[in-house]
Amino acid sequence: MKTVKQYLASDFEAVGDIIKENLDPNEILVHSKSYELFRSGGKKIRPTFTLLVGRLGETGRYPDVLKASASLELIHMATLVHDDIIDNSRLRRGRSTVYYEHGYLQAINTGNYLLSTSLSIVSTIEHKALHEAFSQAIRDIVDGEIFQLDHQFNTYQTLDDYYTKIYRKTALLIELSIKMGAYAANVDQRILDGLLVYGYHIGMSFQIIDDCLDFIGNEKTLGKPKFSDLENGHYTLPVLMLRDEDPDFSNKLHAFDGSREKLDELIGDLLASDAIDRSIAISNTYIDKARAAIEDIDEPIRTYLMEIAEKLSNRLN
């Protein structure tokens, strides 16, 4: 049986053509940097969900599925560019970020250009529910960015705050990817309901693992410096769990002033604890629920969705 990458190879080629045509790379810096970001790779997991779900619907509507897939990849890219500004990031996917290389204004313009191009593509799809879901999700994503910024360096945030952040940061966009594929191809609502449960749990697991990799991952694989979340005041699940259980660590976290010495102390305490292992265990419970939600999905789509779940659960191995 083909891998999901092989199964969707021609679809991704078509999606790439749509993106290239609409980004129009030329001598304008913002256009060229936007297209360069697309070409730089990434997991492209969101358009993968759109394409797979679209295969469950009407074949004649698949061109709209390709457009939806392209628009979602552009939205995701826009959020990454804006995240790099918030986090003062030098690297993204192993390359200099637009923000670091060209400054604040060019990064803002690049993110906005990617978002506006996404809107332009999706506007050509005739489906009321699709447009409603798309516009609401964009608003929720922006709310999520604001929420994350408001909680930066907030040592009193709760675990519920954390789960709200990662839902808006990751799971929401995966849910949208599934909705877009389903709406574009007129997939039955009963099937969509199960897929959305799958998407929610996959998204939550995906972000928790990303947050753990910030401590134990390989910098070359991550494409960015390790410990950047903690350094930038984005307190993730391992940090919050240890804060709530270890008074000494909690005091150090409240006293963190951005200095390298105090950062190293926090990192050392985290790595010596079992907070990361327990966070991974929580991620695995989300993966199990995702698998259970798609038992009735038609083949080969079910197998490919299970393959994605398996790959996500093995990212630490």
Side-chain angles (χ1 to χ4, degrees):
M1 186 175 179
K2 295 179 180 179
T3 65
V4 66
K5 187 175 181 180
Q6 293 168 333
Y7 181 66
L8 296 175
S10 61
D11 295 344
F12 269 113
E13 186 176 342
V15 169
D17 289 342
I18 293 170
I19 289 176
K20 182 177 181 180
E21 178 184 350
N22 282 272
L23 288 181
D24 185 28
N26 52 32
E27 73 280 359
I28 299 174
L29 179 64
V30 168
H31 292 207
S32 298
K33 294 306 294 185
S34 295
Y35 186 60
E36 187 180 305
L37 281 167
F38 170 70
R39 289 186 49 133
S40 68
K43 302 176 186 69
K44 295 185 170 53
I45 189 168
R46 295 145 197 88
T48 296
F49 287 128
T50 304
L51 294 170
L52 285 174
V53 171
R55 293 276 186 127
L56 293 168
E58 299 173 14
T59 305
R61 293 188 60 88
Y62 206 69
D64 282 346
V65 175
L66 297 174
K67 293 177 186 176
S69 180
S71 70
L72 282 160
E73 182 62 8
L74 291 172
I75 281 189
H76 175 58
M77 289 160 57
T79 64
L80 295 183
V81 173
H82 288 161
D83 275 349
D84 290 338
I85 298 169
I86 293 170
D87 295 339
N88 194 29
S89 298
R90 293 190 173 195
L91 293 175
R92 169 71 65 180
R93 297 172 181 170
R95 301 185 180 197
S96 293
T97 61
V98 179
Y99 173 60
Y100 181 71
E101 190 172 353
H102 298 285
Y104 175 82
L105 291 178
Q106 289 290 14
I108 287 290
N109 286 335
T110 299
N112 290 346
Y113 178 63
L114 288 163
L115 178 58
S116 62
T117 304
S118 172
L119 293 170
S120 176
I121 293 171
V122 83
S123 69
T124 64
I125 302 173
E126 294 184 10
H127 196 294
K128 186 174 183 290
L130 182 148
H131 287 288
E132 289 174 349
F134 191 77
S135 59
Q136 183 60 51
I138 290 176
R139 178 171 180 166
D140 290 343
I141 288 167
V142 174
D143 282 344
E145 294 280 358
I146 296 169
F147 187 82
Q148 176 173 282
L149 192 58
D150 285 345
H151 284 75
Q152 196 169 9
F153 291 104
N154 176 9
T155 56
Y156 295 99
Q157 63 188 280
T158 65
L159 286 173
D160 283 344
D161 290 332
Y162 169 75
Y163 288 122
T164 296
K165 280 193 299 183
I166 67 170
Y167 171 71
R168 292 176 176 177
K169 182 182 180 71
T170 301
L172 187 151
L173 198 47
I174 290 178
E175 286 181 341
L176 178 63
S177 303
I178 289 170
K179 283 183 183 179
M180 295 281 280
Y183 289 150
N186 283 336
V187 172
D188 182 82
Q189 184 63 47
R190 180 187 62 81
I191 295 173
L192 174 56
D193 290 342
L195 289 167
L196 289 175
V197 174
Y198 166 89
Y200 168 79
H201 288 99
I202 283 288
M204 299 297 281
S205 169
F206 185 93
Q207 190 57 52
I208 291 171
I209 292 297
D210 258 17
D211 293 343
C212 292
L213 285 171
D214 189 59
F215 293 105
I216 60 175
N218 179 285
E219 283 195 4
K220 186 175 181 181
T221 304
L222 291 174
K224 63 176 184 178
K226 289 173 67 173
F227 315 121
S228 58
D229 286 337
L230 182 55
E231 183 176 10
N232 290 316
H234 299 307
Y235 301 139
T236 53
L237 185 57
V239 176
L240 297 177
M241 290 176 70
L242 192 57
R243 177 206 63 186
D244 290 346
E245 298 161 1
D246 184 335
D248 184 51
F249 179 82
S250 178
N251 290 334
K252 290 178 183 178
L253 185 65
H254 289 304
F256 179 50
D257 58 4
S259 70
R260 188 72 226 185
E261 181 182 356
K262 291 185 177 179
L263 177 64
D264 287 342
E265 281 189 39
L266 292 171
I267 292 168
D269 288 351
L270 274 162
L271 294 178
S273 75
D274 65 351
I276 294 171
D277 288 339
R278 288 188 291 119
S279 297
I280 293 167
I282 291 171
S283 168
N284 287 336
T285 65
Y286 280 111
I287 287 287
D288 290 341
K289 291 176 182 177
R291 291 191 185 107
I294 55 170
E295 290 180 350
D296 298 331
I297 300 300
D298 289 345
E299 295 292 357
I301 304 306
R302 178 183 175 276
T303 294
Y304 288 127
L305 292 173
M306 292 290 281
E307 178 187 323
I308 292 171
E310 194 66 28
K311 285 182 177 178
L312 294 181
S313 66
N314 289 331
R315 280 195 299 156
L316 292 163
N317 299 332

